[in-house]
Amino acid sequence: MFKISDTEVDFKDYGTPNSSWTSETLRLYNKFLTDSWMKFPSTRRLPLLMKRFEDLKTFPKGRILTRCTDEEGSMFEFAMFYSLDNARMACVAQFGPYLEGVPGIAHGGATAALMDQVLGTLAFLSLGRVMTANLNINYIRAIPLLSTILFDSELQSKEDRKATIICKVTSSDGSVLHAEGKGLYCSLPTCRHFCFSNRTTRHISHLLQCGICHV
Amino acid sequence: MFKISDTEVDFKDYGTPNSSWTSETLRLYNKFLTDSWMKFPSTRRLPLLMKRFEDLKTFPKGRILTRCTDEEGSMFEFAMFYSLDNARMACVAQFGPYLEGVPGIAHGGATAALMDQVLGTLAFLSLGRVMTANLNINYIRAIPLLSTILFDSELQSKEDRKATIICKVTSSDGSVLHAEGKGLYCSLPTCRHFCFSNRTTRHISHLLQCGICHV
């Protein structure tokens, strides 16, 4: 199995404040730090996965979509906090000017991407390695760029290799509901039924039903 | 009303081949050029919207999420083609290494972002200025980075200010179904019921129901 050394991997946690954060984003971040939540690190790739897949050789410069930029503040700025007791993941975020849809307003895909990141991380904590099977988002009110927003996600149900997670996206004080969504995630088996390296990935729907594959 | 001059706007069409495109992406692009489809330009902001909103002053460096990078091939590479006769929008695309989720595989948010872009553009052609109200995506099979993919979207229904659009994401030859999705878009009125400039945007759900607001 292909392995890369720790020295080749960027283990930096990018979910920490930088000069692009607004005072409100920083305030909410500090509030979570002092509450009963635990901060979850956010790296540019997935350390728990990256030693497993041959594709790391093919894409040595790969970066997770939500951590792909070197320019602080231009795209996604966020920090995730989790509470295992009640299976929740919160995310303090602000969207930079490169995430525009309608001028001045966040692209619907930006909300979808960060929601998938947050929900997928919570699913990972519940099931291990996962992929998204379904993502369903209601957009309620537009998100102005650089406003501070809060993703509050919660494990709704878990069964075998499936986890359903719900999420609300609100303003920093919770008074404005920007979006709400639901994600279905399925765990990845390590057996022959699923293989990234030769790109003969089986249907995700198969993973949801298969009684042979085990994580 | 705030206006900016044409000289300040980047009207370049980024939906054209560059050196990062694989031979298969280029082949499919050329096939669409010679078929009965018409190429739809893809700029970094929305020219038809950008003269309207005060937020352009606040975010002079805004870029649409799917056109935000200067580094060719690193993120989204795509070209859109439309067929007004049957209300379809096709999009030839490849995802670069900065759109990673699981190593070597496209982030679910990348699929969502480009789907929202394609469906939103088709909705715009049907309704005028629009915003996303709902996006629902089934992820069927993982998308390897740098593979050539095809988004094929079609207007399913249109009623008043609402348009429902369905989409399939396949491999370049259509043999592999990667994802399928549905988007609900609503048109933006220009009357007092909707206002970006002071950020008192009304609920999108209101737009779906309101009989007073007109585009």
Side-chain angles (χ1 to χ4, degrees), chain B residues 9-80:
Chain B
V9 180
D10 176 8
F11 282 117
K12 178 183 171 184
D13 175 12
Y14 287 87
T16 54
N18 62 49
S19 62
S20 77
W21 286 29
T22 66
S23 57
E24 179 60 8
T25 304
L26 192 59
R27 184 197 66 77
L28 192 58
Y29 173 85
N30 286 326
K31 182 175 180 298
F32 271 96
L33 278 185
T34 54
D35 281 351
S36 59
W37 298 76
M38 294 184 70
K39 188 171 177 307
F40 192 83
S42 175
T43 55
R44 279 195 166 155
R45 302 192 96 174
L46 299 171
L48 293 171
L49 296 174
M50 65 197 325
K51 293 180 182 178
R52 293 176 183 272
F53 298 124
E54 192 73 13
D55 278 326
L56 274 179
K57 285 191 207 169
T58 314
F59 302 105
K61 293 184 178 176
R63 293 180 184 178
I64 294 174
L65 163 58
T66 49
R67 291 293 181 206
C68 70
T69 183
D70 291 322
E71 197 179 341
E72 289 178 352
S74 61
M75 293 186 68
F76 299 93
E77 293 290 340
F78 66 97
M80 293 185 286

Side-chain angles (χ1 to χ4, degrees), chain A residues 15-199:
Chain A
T16 54
N18 61 49
S19 61
S20 76
W21 287 30
T22 67
S23 57
E24 180 60 9
T25 304
L26 193 60
R27 184 197 67 77
L28 191 58
Y29 173 85
N30 286 326
K31 182 175 180 300
F32 271 96
L33 277 185
T34 54
D35 281 351
S36 59
W37 297 75
M38 293 185 70
K39 189 170 175 305
F40 192 83
S42 175
T43 55
R44 280 195 166 154
R45 302 192 96 173
L46 299 170
L48 293 171
L49 297 174
M50 65 198 326
K51 293 180 182 179
R52 295 177 182 272
F53 299 123
E54 191 72 13
D55 277 326
L56 273 179
K57 285 190 203 167
T58 313
F59 302 105
K61 293 184 178 176
R63 292 181 184 178
I64 295 174
L65 163 57
T66 50
R67 290 294 180 205
C68 69
T69 185
D70 291 323
E71 197 179 341
E72 288 177 351
S74 62
M75 293 186 68
F76 298 93
E77 293 290 340
F78 67 97
M80 292 185 288
F81 300 85
Y82 70 99
S83 169
L84 278 182
D85 289 343
N86 47 9
R88 284 175 72 188
M89 177 73 76
C91 175
V92 177
Q94 67 182 40
F95 290 159
Y98 286 6
L99 299 178
E100 195 175 71
V102 169
I105 300 296
H107 197 289
T111 307
L114 191 51
M115 189 180 289
D116 187 39
Q117 188 70 41
V118 174
L119 272 55
T121 305
L122 181 53
F124 165 76
L125 292 171
S126 302
L127 289 178
R129 298 179 305 129
V130 293
M131 285 190 78
T132 318
N134 176 266
L135 191 61
N136 190 347
I137 304 171
N138 287 319
Y139 296 87
I140 316 275
R141 198 183 283 244
I143 297 175
L145 298 178
L146 290 190
S147 66
T148 304
I149 48 177
L150 175 64
F151 288 72
D152 187 359
S153 65
E154 186 176 1
L155 181 68
Q156 188 181 57
S157 66
K158 178 181 161 184
E159 179 188 357
D160 299 331
R161 60 178 64 258
K162 292 181 283 187
T164 301
I165 299 171
I166 53 175
C167 180
K168 287 186 185 299
V169 186
T170 67
S171 57
S172 59
D173 63 357
S175 65
V176 177
L177 179 62
H178 289 295
E180 54 189 8
K182 182 185 282 192
L184 174 64
Y185 292 82
C186 65
S187 62
L188 300 180
T190 53
C191 79
R192 64 183 170 78
H193 277 228
F194 202 91
C195 178
F196 282 108
S197 61
N198 62 7
R199 297 187 180 171

Side-chain angles (χ1 to χ4, degrees), chain B residues 131-163:
Chain B
M131 285 190 77
T132 318
N134 177 266
L135 191 61
N136 188 348
I137 304 171
N138 286 319
Y139 296 86
I140 315 275
R141 198 182 282 246
I143 297 175
L145 297 178
L146 290 190
S147 66
T148 304
I149 48 177
L150 175 63
F151 288 70
D152 187 359
S153 64
E154 186 177 1
L155 181 67
Q156 188 181 56
S157 65
K158 177 181 161 185
E159 181 189 356
D160 298 333
R161 59 179 63 256
K162 293 182 282 188

